Amino acid sequence: MFVGFDYGSANCAIGIMQGEEVCLVPLSGDAKYLTSTLYAMDRELIAEEVLKQLPTDQKAEYTRLRSAQLSRAASMRRELDLLPHEQAVFVGEAAVEAYLEMPDEGFYVRSPKSFLGATGLRDNQIALFEDIVTLMMMHIKAVAEKNMRENSVITHAVIGRPVNFQGIGGEQSNLQAEAILSLAAKRAGFIDVDFLFEPLAAGMDYEASLDEDVTVLVVDVGGGTTDCSMVKMGPNHIESADRSQDFLGHSGQRIGGNDLDIALSMAAFMPHLGLGSLMVNKLPVPSKPFWNAVAVNDISAQRDFAALNSKKLIEELIKDAQQPELITRLLKVQKEQLGYKLVRSAEQSKIALSSEDSIDTPLSFVHAGLHAKVTEVDFENAITMPLSKVESLMREALETSGVKPDRIYVTGGTARSPAIYRRISGLFPDIPIVVGDHFGSVTAGLTRWAQRVFA
């Protein structure tokens, strides 16, 4: 069976064709989206779980490649007093629940796709992300096959990819990320995979509804990346097996919903933990530890914040702060690794602000009774810089293509925000804007394309 596979920064989805219509397969209960998260009681246990689920013909080679990790996993299982078949690695909502229950005791990664093109990754880090993606793909493939008609086996997939996985690193970063995804898909049991730019996929789903040829600027604001593509669409293009001539220009950068959540965390939550307060010498408290606490899509920042030196730095700040009781809250975040919880709370506030003017967000996991009121204006002010980058990407797509679009098609989960829509519509007020399925359009386009490339 040929499917579209949206391995997203925020959510994952699988699409199949039922007649002429695309159908998304339930992946988490009745939900058609699986949260892009993984939690392990220890990171070494991830390799052990991959080995358990690998096809027999791949086990020997994988055991050779991961011999050190597997040895450490066996030791860690004994140390944690886990039974041989006791679950120690969780995916999706189960991972979120496990993390919220034990935030400081395990290994939690949100939006692993955001890291795949990171520059400077060591071999052991690349191996870890290969295993994370493999395990997630194994889970998604197994659940999708179980929820489809009897005896259905997924063999081929078109996987969506951003125009650029990383803001820096260029094509080398893209090749690294694609290599990780390709290897993970093979280990997860896919016979063959192909890749398609996510904004192009989103546009293909929109194209199915067109009755005339138009030039469309597709703006896909996702969880981890924003991609813009100028595409010729319509009845005279839709049946073409090679769309390269219709793809007029593109731009993309690792800027998306995650960055908005981080920006909102800094602006709305961190002042309650001491950001912006003063030291006894009347100098402001350094902002770096606050940033590192919530920069959940930055490997080096997370590593620095978890290190002993960061703990010592915060303890020194407490001694020299005019309001030490606030900095003490930051110390709790460091000790208990609560950064992801803060960013998750910001994400929930962002979602609520799509329909509310203000939201009162509880932060009692940091300090009893603590809460932060966040208004729509606060959110708009907090995300000024990320949104400026989105605007720059739209302008870049126009410049590289050399044409003006007839329409702008906006999609991606993050694009639900009224604040983002206002910025996009204000940039080109004379061009009609079409708002697509914020979550399903990319998967639908990938699914349609899969039927062509693998047929």
Side-chain angles (χ1 to χ4, degrees):
M1 176 172 282
F2 309 152
V3 303
F5 189 170
D6 182 9
Y7 183 77
S9 298
N11 298 284
C12 300
I14 289 276
I16 60 173
M17 295 300 299
Q18 290 188 342
E20 296 297 318
E21 299 298 320
V22 175
C23 178
L24 270 61
V25 182
L27 295 180
S28 180
D30 294 331
K32 296 177 180 178
Y33 303 95
L34 183 82
T35 304
S36 297
T37 54
L38 179 142
Y39 179 90
M41 292 184 181
D42 186 87
R43 71 171 62 194
E44 305 297 353
L45 297 172
I46 298 172
E48 179 188 70
E49 190 63 30
V50 171
L51 179 62
K52 287 180 184 177
Q53 300 185 41
L54 271 180
T56 303
D57 61 349
Q58 296 188 41
K59 286 183 181 291
E61 175 65 8
Y62 182 82
T63 300
R64 183 186 67 81
L65 292 171
R66 298 288 191 271
S67 58
Q69 291 94 325
L70 293 170
S71 177
R72 290 194 294 269
S75 299
M76 184 54 61
R77 185 169 280 273
R78 289 191 297 269
E79 184 177 323
L80 294 173
D81 199 24
L82 295 171
L83 297 174
H85 298 291
E86 186 173 352
Q87 186 174 2
V89 185
F90 305 85
V91 173
E93 284 303 315
V96 175
E97 292 172 6
Y99 164 70
L100 294 176
E101 183 178 342
M102 301 175 289
D104 58 337
E105 296 180 17
F107 171 77
Y108 180 71
V109 58
R110 178 192 186 204
S111 306
K113 181 181 177 182
S114 300
F115 300 103
L116 303 186
T119 57
L121 290 182
R122 301 186 296 272
D123 289 344
N124 65 322
Q125 291 175 312
I126 291 178
L128 175 62
F129 283 113
E130 288 173 352
D131 290 345
I132 290 171
V133 179
T134 297
L135 199 55
M136 292 183 69
M137 286 188 171
M138 285 174 165
H139 176 86
I140 292 167
K141 185 174 184 290
V143 172
E145 289 174 342
K146 180 180 178 182
N147 288 332
M148 291 190 297
R149 60 181 178 268
E150 191 175 352
N151 299 323
S152 293
V153 178
I154 297 172
T155 56
H156 296 66
V158 171
I159 300 174
R161 55 149 289 185
V163 175
N164 288 308
F165 282 88
Q166 194 80 359
I168 57 175
E171 193 56 24
Q172 184 176 352
S173 289
N174 293 333
L175 292 173
Q176 174 182 287
E178 275 202 10
I180 292 173
L181 289 167
S182 296
L183 179 59
K186 178 182 177 182
R187 287 175 175 166
F190 292 93
I191 293 174
D192 194 12
V193 296
D194 196 15
F195 293 93
L196 182 67
F197 286 143
E198 288 160 354
L200 195 55
M204 283 180 176
D205 185 52
Y206 171 56
E207 184 177 39
S209 67
L210 294 176
D211 56 9
E212 62 176 331
D213 291 341
V214 291
T215 300
V216 180
L217 174 61
V218 181
V219 182
D220 180 11
V221 188
T225 56
T226 292
D227 290 308
C228 301
S229 297
M230 193 75 74
V231 188
K232 289 181 179 179
M233 297 183 185
N236 291 323
H237 304 279
I238 193 169
E239 295 300 328
S240 175
D242 180 5
R243 299 299 299 270
S244 58
Q245 297 302 312
D246 300 332
F247 197 44
L248 305 179
H250 66 262
S251 62
Q253 190 174 347
R254 202 189 76 170
I255 185 78
N258 293 337
D259 300 274
L260 304 185
D261 300 338
I262 291 167
L264 184 58
S265 298
M266 284 290 286
F269 299 163
M270 284 309 184
H272 296 281
L273 278 66
L275 180 64
S277 63
L278 300 176
M279 309 289 286
V280 291
N281 61 7
K282 297 185 179 180
L283 292 176
V285 172
S287 62
K288 185 175 181 179
F290 296 92
W291 173 257
N292 287 348
V294 294
V296 295
N297 57 0
D298 185 323
I299 294 175
S300 61
Q302 288 295 287
R303 186 169 55 238
D304 288 349
F305 188 67
L308 180 61
N309 285 343
S310 182
K311 177 175 176 289
K312 291 179 178 178
L313 170 62
I314 297 171
E315 289 172 340
E316 290 299 318
L317 292 178
I318 291 172
K319 294 177 183 177
D320 297 330
Q322 290 188 17
Q323 296 174 280
E325 70 280 3
L326 297 184
I327 312 297
T328 300
R329 298 171 182 176
L330 180 64
L331 183 61
K332 181 176 181 180
V333 171
Q334 195 277 337
K335 287 181 175 179
E336 298 184 14
Q337 293 300 291
L338 299 174
Y340 279 102
K341 269 195 172 184
L342 283 169
V343 176
R344 180 175 171 81
S345 294
E347 179 186 25
Q348 292 169 337
S349 298
K350 176 188 70 179
I351 293 171
L353 289 171
S354 295
S355 56
E356 303 288 340
D357 292 333
S358 65
I359 182 72
D360 196 55
T361 304
L363 300 174
S364 55
F365 59 88
V366 174
H367 181 76
L370 181 63
H371 59 91
K373 183 178 180 180
V374 186
T375 67
E376 189 176 0
V377 173
D378 293 333
F379 178 57
E380 288 196 37
N381 291 336
I383 63 174
T384 296
M385 187 175 295
L387 279 189
S388 295
K389 293 181 180 179
V390 172
E391 289 184 357
S392 296
L393 290 172
M394 292 176 65
R395 295 186 186 280
E396 183 182 342
L398 263 69
E399 291 172 3
T400 57
S401 65
V403 299
K404 184 177 180 180
D406 301 307
R407 302 174 193 175
I408 297 174
Y409 179 67
V410 182
T411 186
T414 303
R416 292 187 301 176
S417 168
I420 295 173
Y421 178 82
R422 281 195 293 271
R423 287 289 288 268
I424 291 174
S425 60
L427 193 60
F428 303 102
D430 58 330
I431 301 176
I433 294 181
V434 179
V435 179
D437 178 352
H438 290 305
F439 287 109
S441 57
V442 170
T443 311
L446 296 173
T447 305
R448 294 182 186 279
W449 191 245
Q451 314 313 307
R452 298 184 195 176
V453 297
F454 294 126

